[in-house]
Amino acid sequence: MEKFSIKHMKCDVLVVGGGGGGIRAALVAADAGMNVILASETKISGSGSTFYPFSHEWGMLYATDQQDAQQFQNEILTASGECLNKALADKLARDSTRAYEQLVREGVPFVPMRDVGITGCFGRQPRGAFLDDMRELTQAWERELGKRKNIRIETGQTIVSLVSDRMRCYGAVAVDRDGNLTSIRAAAVVLACGGGEGLYEYGAAYGKLYGSAYAMAARYGVRLVNLEFIQFVHGSVSPKKGINYYPFSYREIPAFYNGKGETCLKQYLPAGMSEEECILAHAAHGPFSTDSKGKYLEYAMVGEYRKGNGLGLTVVPDADRVKGNRYRLWERFLNRFGMNAATPMTLYPFAQGFNGGILLHEDIHTDMEGLFACGESAGGCHGPNRMGGLCVLATQVFGEAAGKAAVSYAEKRPDEQLSDAAVEERLRMEFADGAAETETAPENVMRCIRSTMQQYACLHRNEEGLARALEEIEKLKIYPLSHLCNGRTTMYFDAYNAIDAARLILTSMRQRKESRGCHDRSDYPMRDEKQTKMNWVTMDNGLVLGGTLETEP
């Protein structure tokens, strides 16, 4: 068998992903004197959930002071529906003020939510602030990265595998745009490469978010938690695809029509519930939640599509009502696309955020020595409902924490690395070769995954559909090592990781036999108060395993 040609890089800390969490981890590690490689497939701001271009400027929650942090923690726990690590939720609240003040010092502009009369999704009171201008955030972080001469930004490199031996991480393997392999040797690795929104036909995310962090970690036995908790928001399919709709405008009770121009919401409501009651409930939060009366709006969107009445529902706002300070940022955002707050849009549930990921222990370590995670790649700090503005806060709090933990580990670790022969052996074991005639083209792999996940792993999940989805995904075969050194190599590795990520997510969904927050099981429509612990999944020699955390990790 032909040997690989493997290039080399070396650093103290490797950070994978150029979103909010990865940037913060890289800055913290660099300030501690580490030589850092920040590996991003695109230029900074070119991918990820942080920089999604079709969402009005995001919000960030924080406590006003340490006294307020306790109240904030209680809000997080109440909204979450449990199924999270309470110590991590406490850390989010306690460190939130410092995280917000750090961004302000870096020159990031914010508008307090109180000033625009907004209470964030699943919140109790106006808390936190909206980003005023995404461009200024990008410029601020580019300035900060540019100040640190010990950060090397590597774009065009796709991290496809970890380098690990006996549950100890020695770095990662990357593929460049020409299909060449590079072994990046690092004392510590931080995975911050996002979630799996790109596994759906309708995903509100930027770039290739195929769950690669989940797949890479699980193949080496690292546990993942809460992968069944995926946020679906109202995204536009027309006049422009992918706009994350502003749910707070539902306070004005807009009209909703199916593709035939008919009103239809009423037929999806339980007896005694009015359309206004449903719409007003959804005005308090953007993401779908089985805990809210607003869920019937998504049921109508999906139901009408399945009846053949067009994709989703068209929302028609009252132009006389969507005015004033409450809609200022939303109006300004839509003006970029030639629209305004009164523009009718056809909406459908889009996968927008993963509330789970690689299991974080309370000391911010993972199951693998030398491996850390933050952002949507990490799990345990969010439950089935995530407050609006908590995701961005988590990138900063746990990005900082992962950076510090990686530095502490790297400082104590001797300079040991695996040989090229050992790296090659592990790659051959991980990405087994196979017969070309049994292989599926990567484009077809992704098409099948997206179709399958959209049909069976969105709303109204059930055992029959999830089992069928797993069966379809496991039929897909792809062999990346047979396609090295060409412009399509990365596509094969991406598809391989996407297959494993989809398998892990579907297994998580099968494990939770109840409906809770964003997890919707039509065969188990009620919440089970006994299922308050996090479920985990991992892999062993290609098999997906799962269980329940009996105690806090």
Side-chain angles (χ1 to χ4, degrees):
M1 190 175 293
E2 185 178 351
K3 289 184 67 63
F4 300 156
S5 174
I6 303 179
K7 300 178 181 179
H8 298 92
M9 294 183 193
K10 187 176 180 180
C11 61
D12 298 318
V13 175
L14 168 64
V15 178
V16 184
I23 290 172
R24 184 58 59 199
L27 291 173
V28 167
D31 287 345
M34 296 283 110
N35 289 316
V36 178
I37 289 179
L38 177 57
S40 175
E41 290 183 319
T42 66
K43 68 176 184 177
I44 300 302
S45 81
S47 66
S49 295
T50 305
F51 301 107
Y52 184 59
F54 302 131
S55 179
H56 54 89
E57 273 64 298
W58 43 252
M60 177 174 170
L61 300 185
Y62 58 90
T64 54
D65 51 39
Q66 289 305 304
Q67 183 176 355
D68 183 44
Q70 183 61 54
Q71 176 61 34
F72 185 20
Q73 180 194 9
N74 292 338
E75 289 182 43
I76 294 172
L77 294 176
T78 300
S80 72
E82 300 183 322
C83 304
L84 79 169
N85 186 330
K86 294 179 181 178
L88 297 181
D90 178 58
K91 182 174 181 60
L92 266 181
R94 284 187 289 104
D95 293 355
S96 64
T97 308
R98 186 177 72 249
Y100 172 72
E101 290 174 348
Q102 177 65 41
L103 288 175
V104 173
R105 284 195 299 272
E106 291 170 351
V108 179
F110 287 98
V111 175
M113 288 190 186
R114 191 178 301 276
D115 288 359
V116 292
I118 294 294
T119 298
C121 303
F122 306 114
R124 294 179 178 175
Q125 59 180 315
R127 175 187 293 284
F130 282 115
L131 177 66
D132 187 56
D133 191 328
M134 180 68 75
R135 292 165 295 185
E136 294 197 42
L137 170 73
T138 301
Q139 292 166 6
W141 275 343
E142 287 176 345
R143 285 195 304 270
E144 294 301 316
L145 290 168
K147 293 176 184 177
R148 280 77 169 178
K149 303 307 178 186
N150 52 340
I151 296 180
R152 175 178 173 182
I153 300 177
E154 283 287 336
T155 58
Q157 295 279 2
T158 300
I159 304 297
V160 297
S161 174
L162 300 176
V163 176
S164 174
D165 183 47
R166 297 181 179 86
M167 293 302 286
R168 178 172 172 179
C169 190
Y170 289 86
V173 174
V175 177
D176 66 20
R177 292 189 178 102
D178 296 321
N180 301 306
L181 296 177
T182 299
S183 175
I184 305 179
R185 300 176 177 182
V189 175
V190 178
L191 292 180
C193 42
E197 293 88 345
L199 300 176
Y200 286 84
E201 288 181 328
Y202 299 98
Y206 194 22
K208 299 187 298 183
L209 296 183
Y210 300 157
S212 61
Y214 309 151
M216 291 188 290
R219 285 200 294 268
Y220 281 96
V222 176
R223 288 175 296 172
L224 316 168
V225 292
N226 286 352
L227 286 187
E228 68 270 31
F229 296 143
I230 304 170
Q231 288 193 167
F232 291 87
V233 300
H234 295 175
S236 65
V237 293
S238 68
K240 183 176 182 62
K241 184 178 179 180
I243 289 178
N244 187 350
Y245 202 76
Y246 191 62
F248 307 112
S249 67
Y250 294 162
R251 276 183 55 174
E252 313 306 336
I253 315 296
F256 288 90
Y257 302 97
N258 65 16
K260 295 181 177 179
E262 304 165 334
T263 59
C264 58
L265 178 57
K266 185 67 176 178
Q267 62 187 276
Y268 292 91
L269 301 179
M273 183 183 294
S274 68
E275 293 184 38
E276 181 173 323
E277 188 177 1
C278 171
I279 294 169
L280 282 176
H282 223 312
H285 58 88
F288 166 83
S289 175
T290 59
D291 302 327
S292 167
K293 295 177 181 179
K295 64 185 177 183
Y296 299 103
L297 202 48
E298 283 91 351
Y299 288 166
M301 292 177 184
V302 175
E304 290 303 289
Y305 175 57
R306 290 177 176 173
K307 289 179 180 179
N309 293 334
L311 181 64
L313 298 179
T314 297
V315 57
V316 182
D318 184 336
D320 292 329
R321 302 188 67 181
V322 285
K323 294 179 178 179
N325 197 40
R326 185 179 183 84
Y327 303 103
R328 176 172 59 86
L329 296 178
W330 175 233
E331 181 83 11
R332 188 178 70 183
F333 167 74
L334 290 177
N335 287 166
R336 301 176 193 170
F337 308 104
M339 295 183 282
N340 57 48
T343 300
M345 293 190 202
T346 302
L347 308 178
Y348 198 72
F350 276 58
Q352 181 260 346
F354 274 65
N355 290 358
I358 297 168
L359 172 64
L360 287 188
H361 297 269
E362 291 179 15
D363 60 3
I364 313 302
H365 286 67
T366 69
D367 287 343
M368 179 180 287
E369 187 180 340
L371 179 68
F372 307 88
C374 60
E376 286 185 277
S377 296
C381 58
H382 302 304
N385 290 324
R386 185 179 69 203
M387 294 174 68
L390 209 60
C391 180
V392 174
L393 173 62
T395 68
Q396 298 307 289
V397 169
F398 292 107
E400 177 191 59
K404 288 181 176 178
V407 167
S408 178
Y409 180 81
E411 288 176 336
K412 301 172 184 175
R413 175 173 171 172
D415 188 13
E416 299 174 358
Q417 288 296 333
L418 298 182
S419 66
D420 283 355
V423 172
E424 179 176 336
E425 178 186 1
R426 281 156 180 75
L427 285 173
R428 291 197 186 281
M429 292 175 61
E430 187 174 357
F431 302 101
D433 290 328
E437 60 269 18
T438 67
E439 190 172 38
T440 309
E443 299 92 338
N444 293 337
V445 167
M446 296 310 304
R447 191 177 299 114
C448 177
I449 290 174
R450 291 187 181 114
S451 174
T452 301
M453 295 294 284
Q454 192 70 46
Q455 182 174 359
Y456 299 112
C458 184
L459 308 185
H460 297 310
R461 305 163 191 165
N462 58 63
E463 179 62 25
E464 180 182 0
L466 293 171
R468 184 177 303 165
L470 267 172
E471 183 180 343
E472 291 299 314
I473 299 297
E474 288 176 344
K475 290 178 183 177
L476 302 172
K477 305 296 180 185
I478 200 160
Y479 308 108
L481 298 182
S482 301
H483 302 276
L484 298 177
C485 302
N486 66 69
R488 287 171 54 83
T489 302
T490 300
M491 296 173 62
Y492 283 88
F493 279 102
D494 284 340
Y496 193 99
N497 279 328
I499 290 171
D500 281 346
R503 295 171 63 211
L504 291 160
I505 293 165
L506 290 167
T507 301
S508 294
M509 291 175 173
R510 292 182 77 182
Q511 287 183 174
R512 186 162 293 281
K513 293 177 170 57
E514 65 163 350
S515 290
R516 180 184 293 263
C518 56
H519 178 62
D520 181 29
R521 286 285 300 254
S522 60
D523 49 352
Y524 296 96
M526 304 303 293
R527 175 182 289 206
D528 182 351
E529 297 303 335
K530 297 179 181 178
Q531 296 191 47
T532 59
K533 295 176 181 177
M534 292 187 288
N535 293 328
W536 59 266
V537 288
T538 190
M539 296 176 70
D540 183 13
N541 291 322
L543 297 177
V544 177
L545 309 176
T548 300
L549 289 178
E550 295 304 322
T551 60
E552 296 285 5

